[in-house]
Amino acid sequence: MFESGLDQAFGLRRMFAAPPLLLGLGCARGDAADQAGVAGLARALQRAGRRPVLIDLLGERGCRIANAGDLVALAQRLRGEGRRRGAEPDLALVMADPLRLADVAAALNDRIVLFAPGDASSLAQLYAQVKAVRLAHGVTRYVAAFRDARSRQVALDAHRRLADTAARFLGAAVEFGGLIPALDRDPRAWDRFAADAIGWACPLHGVRMPAAG
């Protein structure tokens, strides 16, 4: 039992010493429902043992972040502040309008996760955002996670239309990210969604992080 405890402690030290992860969340509407979905994801990540920090670029506060270097510097500063408090974050959730997100994070990650309504009427707006990001930054990989869909089948149909059109006209691949669970319902669904989200995140390898002050 003692040896097992040592192994567990060693594993925890390795996990916490790993480079922070970055997960860019492009909020198609940027409304209260998108923000609530990101907050729900953060809580599910905490239950999974992660220590996420939320960087909200939807409002005017994001204007100070102009490029990938600024974002990395901010993530490192937040990590340093967390270390001093004994709660060092290991995953940065960056939420922004998709094009704004690509402006500051396309150089750091190979995909963008899109939070979007799952109804057919929203597909045109979502496709327009994918097109803008593709043309401006060359990003070819996306994950579309749908909220407020009447059913999983409705979301799958919406995704199929989006993925087929993006592949045909933009040369972009859009992965189905599933349904964003309704708030305060089925914690297991949130836990599954959080596990998928960790898989979409990208380690900040190869990026020179400024030393924490």
Side-chain angles (χ1 to χ4, degrees), residues 107-155:
L108 303 177
N109 206 341
D110 65 347
R111 78 188 78 185
I112 286 179
V113 180
L114 301 169
F115 275 26
D119 58 285
S121 63
S122 299
L123 283 184
Q125 178 192 12
L126 187 57
Y127 175 77
Q129 292 175 326
V130 171
K131 181 178 180 180
V133 173
R134 175 71 175 95
L135 295 179
H137 296 281
V139 177
T140 59
R141 297 182 64 194
Y142 302 83
V143 177
F146 296 95
R147 62 171 175 84
D148 303 330
R150 294 194 305 275
S151 68
R152 182 177 179 85
Q153 188 58 52
V154 169

Side-chain angles (χ1 to χ4, degrees), residues 36-78:
V38 175
L41 173 59
R43 289 192 293 271
L45 288 166
Q46 288 175 329
R47 289 197 301 273
R50 293 285 176 172
R51 300 180 306 283
V53 60
L54 179 59
I55 300 176
D56 185 351
L57 304 186
L58 286 172
E60 291 300 318
R61 291 174 296 173
C63 293
R64 296 191 299 273
I65 298 178
N67 53 48
D70 290 345
L71 179 58
V72 170
L74 175 60
Q76 181 61 31
R77 179 171 62 81
L78 293 172

Side-chain angles (χ1 to χ4, degrees), residues 187-210:
R188 289 175 297 179
W190 274 108
D191 293 343
R192 290 191 295 269
F193 187 64
D196 290 339
I198 292 172
W200 303 327
C202 177
L204 287 173
H205 287 301
V207 179
R208 188 168 183 83
M209 304 278 279

